Amino acid sequence: MENENKLKNRNVETYTDDMVKAIENDKGGLIKKIIHEEEEHEAEKINLSPRSRKNRLFMFISIVFIFLALAILVFLAFFDENSNIVQVAPQFTPIVFTDQSNIQAIDGFTKEKIAETVLDQVNNTKVKVGEMEGIYLTENKKAVGFKRFVTLIKGNFVLDQIDFVSDNFLFGAVNNEVKDLFILLKVRSFTNVFLAMHNWEDKMLYDLYGFFGIDISPETNYLFTKNWQDGIVENKNARILENKDGKIVLMYVFINDSSIVITNSETAVREVILRLAFGQIKK
């Protein structure tokens, strides 16, 4: 009897335990289900909320505007950087080393305005003492060659002989305490160009006096008809125009068989000779 009672009690306890576990398991599932349904309900409320949609729309528009602003800034920066750059035509390579280069657009300029532009750049050059600046003239964003230069200033270089002079020429400024201008020409040979340069002598001063800042007045008008003289400058053959006091007004010097420099400064001649002779590169 006692054993039967123990067996019954064990069965009751086992059944009770199983029921408790089943209820607990069922409660756990029910709670989880309730929580899950509540979360879905809240998410649906959030998704359907007008304020939420408005906020997301505002964020999207803000991001779009930020990207547009960045794109505009990048474009403007690139445009500003390149809008003022004038490309020198690639066929015009430097004919002498210069420490600095300057490009001057002369579109629509008169002869007087071109001369003023060049002379102002020479007087205001930032190169240090002993250094040289190259000055390039451009028209329609292309380098002005010697032939075009003669045309623009209505110059008197004999056009039938202009082919002896390379189109690649250079205005340059040398700073030797005083800032001096020179024009460097590359020619076919001394023999070919000598007569052409000699024929230009009668009008060279008239064509170039404004570039070199030469004062022309009733007292100096005689220079237009004064004869040029043979001379030696820095041990090089030269043709020189002097005033009545023997001061050099203008000259052209045969640096070598293919180079002529026009200037009124012996120091400019010396610097050009040194750079052409030694291919000097300053760093």
Side-chain angles (χ1 to χ4, degrees):
M1 178 66 69
E2 184 178 353
N3 290 334
E4 289 180 359
N5 289 334
K6 288 182 180 180
L7 181 59
K8 288 180 180 180
N9 289 335
R10 188 182 304 118
N11 290 336
V12 170
E13 290 174 358
T14 301
Y15 177 76
T16 301
D17 291 339
D18 292 339
M19 289 296 293
V20 169
K21 290 179 181 179
I23 292 171
E24 288 178 348
N25 290 337
D26 184 62
K27 285 183 178 180
L30 181 61
I31 291 171
K32 289 179 181 179
K33 183 177 180 180
I34 292 172
I35 292 173
H36 180 67
E37 289 178 350
E38 186 65 24
E39 288 175 345
E40 289 182 341
H41 181 64
E42 289 296 326
E44 184 177 358
K45 286 173 62 179
I46 292 173
N47 290 333
L48 296 176
S49 171
R51 178 178 295 179
S52 175
R53 289 199 301 269
K54 184 177 180 180
N55 288 342
R56 283 189 291 178
L57 179 62
F58 178 78
M59 290 178 62
F60 175 78
I61 294 174
S62 299
I63 292 172
V64 170
F65 274 112
I66 290 172
F67 276 106
L68 285 175
L70 289 174
I72 291 172
L73 288 174
V74 171
F75 173 79
L76 290 177
F78 179 81
F79 181 80
D80 288 342
E81 181 179 355
N82 291 279
S83 60
N84 294 323
I85 296 176
V86 180
Q87 296 295 331
V88 177
Q91 66 266 28
F92 293 97
T93 55
I95 54 180
V96 67
F97 173 77
T98 57
D99 301 281
Q100 181 175 307
S101 295
N102 180 270
I103 297 171
Q104 294 290 334
I106 57 170
D107 300 72
F109 284 13
T110 62
K111 169 188 173 180
E112 291 74 21
K113 183 62 176 177
I114 296 172
E116 179 185 346
T117 299
V118 172
L119 188 58
D120 284 347
Q121 184 58 38
V122 172
N123 292 332
N124 295 302
T125 182
K126 302 300 182 183
V127 294
K128 300 175 183 178
V129 174
E131 293 186 341
M132 179 185 293
E133 177 179 71
I135 303 170
Y136 294 90
L137 304 181
T138 65
E139 184 183 39
N140 297 322
K141 297 184 178 181
K142 295 181 180 179
V144 173
F146 183 67
K147 293 178 184 177
R148 181 58 181 163
F149 170 70
V150 171
T151 300
L152 288 172
I153 66 170
K154 298 179 173 62
N156 292 277
F157 194 98
V158 180
L159 295 181
D160 290 343
Q161 299 170 326
I162 203 168
D163 288 338
F164 295 135
V165 181
S166 170
D167 229 19
N168 190 9
F169 81 115
L170 177 71
F171 280 102
V174 174
N175 186 354
N176 285 299
E177 302 295 348
V178 176
K179 297 169 183 177
D180 298 314
L181 171 69
F182 68 86
I183 302 173
L184 181 60
L185 306 178
K186 299 300 289 184
V187 300
R188 186 175 300 177
S189 71
F190 173 88
T191 305
N192 290 135
V193 81
F194 179 81
L195 183 60
M197 295 299 294
H198 191 274
N199 290 337
W200 193 20
E201 285 180 3
D202 290 341
K203 296 294 184 179
M204 188 184 292
L205 178 63
Y206 177 78
D207 290 345
L208 301 178
Y209 73 88
F211 291 88
F212 290 92
I214 299 170
D215 182 40
I216 298 299
S217 65
E219 290 74 26
T220 58
N221 276 340
Y222 71 92
L223 292 170
F224 287 124
T225 56
K226 193 173 187 298
N227 291 329
W228 292 58
Q229 304 294 325
D230 289 332
I232 299 294
V233 177
E234 297 294 323
N235 293 320
K236 303 293 182 180
N237 291 318
R239 292 284 291 172
I240 304 171
L241 177 65
E242 297 178 342
N243 63 16
K244 59 186 178 182
D245 298 321
K247 182 179 179 180
I248 295 174
V249 176
L250 196 61
M251 61 181 164
Y252 60 94
V253 182
F254 296 92
I255 303 299
N256 53 41
D257 193 52
S258 61
S259 302
I260 296 174
V261 63
I262 303 171
T263 186
N264 56 0
S265 165
E266 293 186 65
T267 55
V269 173
R270 184 182 308 117
E271 187 65 27
V272 172
I273 289 173
L274 288 173
R275 293 187 180 226
L276 286 176
F278 300 107
Q280 181 178 1
I281 299 179
K282 297 182 179 181
K283 297 182 179 180

